[in-house]
Amino acid sequence: MATVLIKYKTDVKFTHEQVLKIMEQSANETFRGMPHLLSKQFCFDIETGEGLSVYLWESRAHAEAYSTPEWKVYFEKKFGAVPHLEYYETLITLDNRTDDILYG
């Protein structure tokens, strides 16, 4: 498994409601049921304009296949920010909701 952190900072002054709407739409229209994506967390600090997305993919290859140059252009247009990506090998994931431990 692979965890990808996408960090960004925007100068656009979003309200909490605007960010929530954008992220909810993205979750439902883009990420729900996406093959090879196990989970995604949407995080944003309204005060600083800093955002963080945490993706858990089946593999790094799947993560890299998603983060294309076209995706980066789309992201920049949507949030007015350049995304910074960090890739990590996921060794263990604990899910307390299902009382399960997954091994990467």
Side-chain angles (χ1 to χ4, degrees):
M1 289 185 291
T3 297
V4 180
L5 303 180
I6 299 180
K7 299 176 182 179
Y8 59 96
K9 180 168 175 48
T10 181
D11 291 329
V12 178
K13 297 297 180 195
F14 291 108
T15 66
H16 180 269
E17 292 75 22
Q18 288 172 318
V19 172
L20 186 60
K21 183 177 179 179
I22 290 168
M23 292 179 174
E24 185 176 39
Q25 182 179 5
S26 183
N28 283 312
E29 295 178 7
T30 303
F31 297 107
R32 185 182 294 267
M34 180 177 277
H36 313 293
L37 178 65
L38 302 177
S39 67
K40 180 180 187 305
Q41 288 73 45
F42 299 79
C43 310
F44 192 79
D45 185 318
I46 296 296
E47 297 300 319
T48 65
E50 295 174 323
L52 172 69
S53 293
V54 182
Y55 296 75
L56 181 61
W57 293 93
E58 288 179 356
S59 71
R60 182 172 177 143
H62 290 111
E64 290 176 341
Y66 175 75
S67 304
T68 63
E70 294 81 11
W71 170 83
K72 290 179 183 177
V73 168
Y74 164 80
F75 188 97
E76 288 179 37
K77 286 181 181 178
K78 188 170 188 173
F79 289 103
V82 177
H84 171 74
L85 286 77
E86 298 176 12
Y87 294 86
Y88 297 91
E89 178 182 3
T90 306
L91 303 176
I92 296 176
T93 299
L94 166 68
D95 189 337
N96 280 328
R97 295 165 296 179
T98 60
D99 191 30
D100 198 11
I101 294 179
L102 303 173
Y103 296 90

